[in-house]
Amino acid sequence: MKFSAVAFCLMATGAQAFSPRPLVSTPASAGTITTKSGLILPKDAEKTIVDGSSMSMVAGGAERAYGQEYYEGVAIGPPPDLPSLLLHNRIVYIGMPLVPAVTELVIAELLYLNYESTTDPITMYINSSGTTTADGQAVGFETEAFAIADVMKYVRPPVHTVALGQAFGAAAMLLSQGKRGHRFSLPNATIRLNQPKSQARGQAADIAIKAREVAHNRRTTCELIATACGKPIESVIEDCSRVKYLQPNEAVEYGLIDEVIENTKALAVEPSFMSQLTN
């Protein structure tokens, strides 16, 4: 009975029903366009197509993806992609302790902004506990801060620094390395001077070698601060021998910063996206 049913189906539909058929591409409708790669897009995406066949290109040779958002020619991710907007407006933000990953990112941003423009200033906002955590536990080496300080002087654009929240230890040193006359602090920031902590472990000889390195790093930090503040090195070394807290007005008197600000009017350049927000 089952065999008869199958035979009846074959007779009714014909052998061609079971023969392979060539694949036929679905034609694009009147409201769509088809790229060379076969991608079907709405016709309103035609502005992203060049010669009706290939995707338009962006910086670096990459294809401009359909649906990707761009701000002044820069691709941004799903909102809020704040790091891209800040970097596009020449703003570098340090909001973590100075561990190697943070140092790598900050230096990369400074070098990128240097080759993008050699004249427009860079604004560096600092809210960091330096090479230690807020409770004083060492998490990084002073060489992380030295690398950033060296690159701040290496790049041609002037680097303006702004302290907010906290600038402790090595972060306070970076704050002082901004261009003279353009080192700022927000009213309620706290700045702290202190000497670096040793992370030495192991045999006594190794600890002694590390202690000499820590002493050298402490003197280097104090020399950088003394040069930026116009103070004698011995005075800075004495201040850093113990923890020394400075309120913004005290930091101005110390020479660590130049001015306490409450809004962006004192900054040399206002980010371009601020005008977009006010329109």
Side-chain angles (χ1 to χ4, degrees):
M1 187 70 181
K2 292 181 180 180
F3 178 79
S4 300
V6 172
F8 177 78
C9 289
L10 286 171
M11 294 173 61
T13 59
Q16 292 182 351
F18 293 89
S19 62
R21 297 181 180 179
L23 295 177
V24 179
S25 60
T26 303
S29 63
T32 61
I33 55 177
T34 305
T35 66
K36 182 181 293 185
S37 59
L39 181 64
I40 298 177
L41 300 176
K43 226 172 186 180
D44 58 3
E46 193 170 3
K47 60 184 178 181
T48 66
I49 305 299
V50 177
D51 297 331
S53 59
S54 60
M55 303 293 287
S56 62
M57 310 300 287
V58 295
E63 289 187 348
R64 182 187 291 270
Y66 174 69
Q68 174 70 58
E69 295 187 15
Y70 291 83
Y71 176 75
E72 295 185 0
V74 177
I76 60 175
D81 185 13
L82 297 181
S84 296
L85 290 175
L86 293 177
L87 184 63
H88 182 55
N89 287 274
R90 306 185 67 78
I91 294 174
V92 176
Y93 176 58
I94 303 178
M96 295 179 61
L98 300 178
V99 296
V102 174
T103 302
E104 178 182 2
L105 177 61
V106 172
I107 291 178
E109 291 178 335
L110 290 174
L111 293 176
Y112 168 78
L113 294 174
N114 175 57
Y115 292 110
E116 186 182 53
S117 172
T118 59
T119 56
D120 295 336
I122 300 171
T123 304
M124 177 183 290
Y125 290 86
I126 301 175
N127 180 20
S128 172
S129 56
T131 55
T132 64
T133 60
D135 58 1
Q137 180 181 356
V139 293
F141 297 97
E142 302 303 307
T143 50
E144 307 293 339
F146 298 158
I148 296 176
D150 287 343
V151 175
M152 290 172 65
K153 298 296 176 58
Y154 170 79
V155 297
R156 296 181 63 182
V159 180
H160 303 174
T161 53
V162 182
L164 64 156
Q166 59 184 1
F168 293 171
M173 182 271 290
L174 292 180
L175 175 64
S176 70
Q177 298 305 297
K179 181 177 177 58
R180 186 70 65 88
H182 298 277
R183 301 170 301 176
F184 307 106
S185 174
L186 297 187
N188 297 310
T190 300
I191 302 167
R192 186 179 75 187
L193 302 179
N194 59 262
Q195 59 181 329
K197 290 191 174 184
S198 173
Q199 303 184 42
R201 297 291 187 275
Q203 299 179 354
D206 296 333
I207 295 177
I209 294 173
K210 183 61 180 177
R212 288 196 295 270
E213 179 65 17
V214 170
H216 172 74
N217 290 343
R218 179 183 67 176
R219 183 169 185 87
T220 301
T221 301
C222 293
E223 287 176 349
L224 290 171
I225 294 176
T227 302
C229 298
K231 300 178 72 68
I233 178 65
E234 294 77 12
S235 175
V236 177
I237 290 177
E238 181 180 356
D239 292 335
C240 291
S241 61
R242 305 296 298 176
V243 173
K244 183 179 182 67
Y245 286 93
L246 297 172
Q247 298 305 312
N249 291 330
E250 296 173 335
V252 173
E253 296 176 1
Y254 196 85
L256 201 68
I257 62 175
D258 302 300
E259 185 181 350
V260 181
I261 60 175
E262 296 185 357
N263 51 55
T264 59
K265 292 181 179 180
L267 300 180
V269 178
E270 184 181 72
S272 60
F273 63 79
M274 294 299 295
S275 60
Q276 300 290 333
L277 295 176
T278 56
N279 288 342

